[in-house]
């Protein structure tokens, strides 16, 4: 009997992620497959739920709505911030994430969406927010998590965390 994915299992898989228009956003093809610990939010919830019960060798397509991935678009949209407010030793690039403090005092993550001259545009939405994600998945391996992995809440080894 082969292992199937569920809580406490590590899944190792190759994936290609495309948007609604078929543009490839990300892919593990040509590199190492990704390893994750099931039940610990290592991957977006809408993909994790569709991994449940899958075994090594399974191939499937998973469509994940924004609410089950990086959320719906919210907030005011990209907002300009002077470059001088960022650390001077950081090479600012579109797509970078920064920790900041929101107006309510709670920590929040801001993403750089554009850089124009001395203005850096930041947005609270993840770059993939509001997008329906299309994953083509091939499960490579399913194995029980080690005690260390369960304690840490993520997979170790190739495709997982190294530390
Ligand atoms: Zn660890």
């Amino acid at each position: 009997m082969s292992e199937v994915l569920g809580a406490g299992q590590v899944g190792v898989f190759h994936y290609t992620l495309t948007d609604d228009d078929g543009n490839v956003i990300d892919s593990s093809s040509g590199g190492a497959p990704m390893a994750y610990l099931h039940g610990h939010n290592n991957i977006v919830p809408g993909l994790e739920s569709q991994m449940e019960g899958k075994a090594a060798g399974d191939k499937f397509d998973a469509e994940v709505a924004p609410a089950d991935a990086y959320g719906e678009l919210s907030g005011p949209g990209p907002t300009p911030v002077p470059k001088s407010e960022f650390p001077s030793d950081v090479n600012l690039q579109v797509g970078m994430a920064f920790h900041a403090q929101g107006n309510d005092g709670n920590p929040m993550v801001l993403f750089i969406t554009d850089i124009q001259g001395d203005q850096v545009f930041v947005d609270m939405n993840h770059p993939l927010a509001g997008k329906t994600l299309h994953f083509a998945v091939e499960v490579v391996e399913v194995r029980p998590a080690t005690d260390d992995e369960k304690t840490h809440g993520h997979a170790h080894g190739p495709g997982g965390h190294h530390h």
Side-chain angles (χ1 to χ4, degrees):
M1 213 180 114
S2 61
E3 306 267 2
V4 298
L5 276 166
Q9 298 290 106
V10 168
V12 183
F13 66 101
H14 273 295
Y15 67 96
T16 295
L17 169 60
T18 51
D19 63 16
D20 276 335
D21 298 323
N23 300 309
V24 175
I25 297 169
D26 192 14
S27 177
S28 65
S29 139
M34 181 173 181
Y36 82 103
L37 176 56
H38 197 95
H40 288 263
N41 295 315
N42 292 173
I43 58 177
V44 295
L47 178 59
E48 183 170 69
S49 63
Q50 296 184 60
M51 293 292 259
E52 184 104 30
K54 297 293 195 296
D58 284 352
K59 291 184 187 179
F60 64 101
D61 293 321
E63 185 179 307
V64 179
D68 297 319
Y70 293 96
E72 304 285 356
L73 286 169
S74 62
T79 306
V81 175
K83 216 176 232 177
S84 55
E85 290 193 21
F86 290 85
S88 56
D89 59 342
V90 175
N91 181 22
L92 301 175
Q93 288 179 357
V94 171
M96 275 181 137
F98 279 87
H99 290 274
Q101 199 168 39
N103 290 332
D104 55 6
N106 289 321
M108 61 187 297
V109 178
L110 293 174
F111 298 90
I112 296 179
T113 61
D114 198 10
I115 301 172
Q116 292 180 14
D118 286 337
Q119 299 289 326
V120 179
F121 288 78
V122 298
D123 191 9
M124 61 187 288
N125 294 294
H126 185 279
L128 294 178
K131 289 190 161 90
T132 297
L133 307 181
H134 304 263
F135 290 94
V137 176
E138 179 180 359
V139 181
V140 176
E141 182 189 359
V142 177
R143 61 169 172 82
T146 64
D147 288 342
D148 265 358
E149 288 173 325
K150 286 178 189 168
T151 304
H152 289 195
H154 55 228
H156 291 162
H161 280 245
H162 301 272
H163 58 116

